[in-house]
Amino acid sequence: MNTNQFNQVLNTDIQAFIQNFAPAILGILIIFWVISRQLRARFVTARMTIYLILMAIGAVEIFQYVEKSGLTIGFLGNLLIYSLVLPPIFGWLRVLTYTYWVNDDQQVMRKGNLLTALFWIIYMALHLGLDHFTKAPGNLFLLFDIGFSLLVQRYLAYNKARKQFPKEIENNRKAKE
């Protein structure tokens, strides 16, 4: 094998690795980042802009795929399971694991626990398993789904905190303005 052939094989292997594993590695890094944030004490807010941005980017990816590959029954099934069923269910489950309290500044805080992390891990395992068994294009739904799941979670967490601490939650809103 000469140098040119070696470089061609090496480039092919690197491209295959990036194509096959980079989305999964990126997804894992995102999930670790999200989990680490949810296991720390954080202010309860109603801001959802970042989740809407993630959903918009994910929706663009999905539409581009449909435009290029067409709409199939399998794709619609994946879309229904991935994007409309699993994200809100797991967002709701994670909210149930939160602890809420009022800090010294009279602001409402929340913190997840190991069960919160476990629900994230189960959610991602289901997501990846469904990708594999349904032959979904790798991580096509991931950004939209994570954005939607976090949007539902944030909405439900804020409403739960607002019901539990109706006066103090106003301090959170004022502090963010």
Side-chain angles (χ1 to χ4, degrees):
M1 177 182 285
N2 65 33
T3 306
N4 195 25
Q5 290 173 324
F6 177 75
N7 287 338
Q8 189 175 10
V9 168
L10 183 63
N11 286 338
T12 302
D13 288 344
I14 291 171
Q15 288 174 350
F17 176 80
I18 290 171
Q19 187 176 18
N20 291 325
F21 294 106
I25 292 168
L26 179 62
I28 290 168
L29 290 174
I30 289 170
I31 293 306
F32 277 123
W33 178 72
V34 168
I35 290 172
S36 72
R37 289 177 53 88
Q38 292 194 358
L39 297 181
R40 285 185 268 153
R42 313 248 331 149
F43 293 102
V44 175
T45 68
R47 293 187 338 201
M48 299 183 203
T49 307
I50 190 72
Y51 310 136
L52 295 171
I53 291 170
L54 283 175
M55 290 173 64
I57 293 169
V60 167
E61 289 178 344
I62 292 168
F63 288 127
Q64 286 174 343
Y65 173 81
V66 168
E67 194 173 72
K68 183 173 77 172
S69 302
L71 197 58
T72 65
I73 297 296
F75 177 83
L76 289 173
N78 288 339
L79 183 64
L80 177 66
I81 293 168
Y82 290 145
S83 300
L84 302 177
V85 175
L86 289 180
I89 288 172
F90 278 89
W92 171 72
L93 287 171
R94 289 188 305 268
V95 167
L96 297 177
T97 68
Y98 278 171
T99 301
Y100 299 89
W101 72 93
V102 175
N103 69 9
D104 293 338
D105 295 328
Q106 294 301 300
Q107 293 173 315
V108 183
M109 305 292 290
R110 60 107 179 125
K111 183 178 179 181
N113 57 37
L114 290 178
L115 194 53
T116 312
L118 181 62
F119 281 136
W120 269 112
I121 292 166
I122 291 169
Y123 173 63
M124 291 313 299
L126 282 172
H127 200 287
L128 294 173
L130 288 169
D131 273 349
H132 176 72
F133 290 114
T134 61
K135 308 276 191 268
N139 294 334
L140 176 65
F141 302 99
L142 191 61
L143 282 180
F144 181 87
D145 298 350
I146 289 173
F148 185 38
S149 191
L150 287 168
L151 180 89
V152 169
Q153 182 178 330
R154 173 71 56 98
Y155 175 80
L156 294 174
Y158 183 81
N159 283 330
K160 187 173 181 180
R162 188 174 49 125
K163 287 177 184 171
Q164 195 171 349
F165 303 103
K167 293 178 185 172
E168 293 86 352
I169 199 72
E170 292 302 316
N171 296 329
N172 290 40
R173 292 176 65 197
K174 291 174 187 171
K176 294 294 178 180
E177 293 175 353

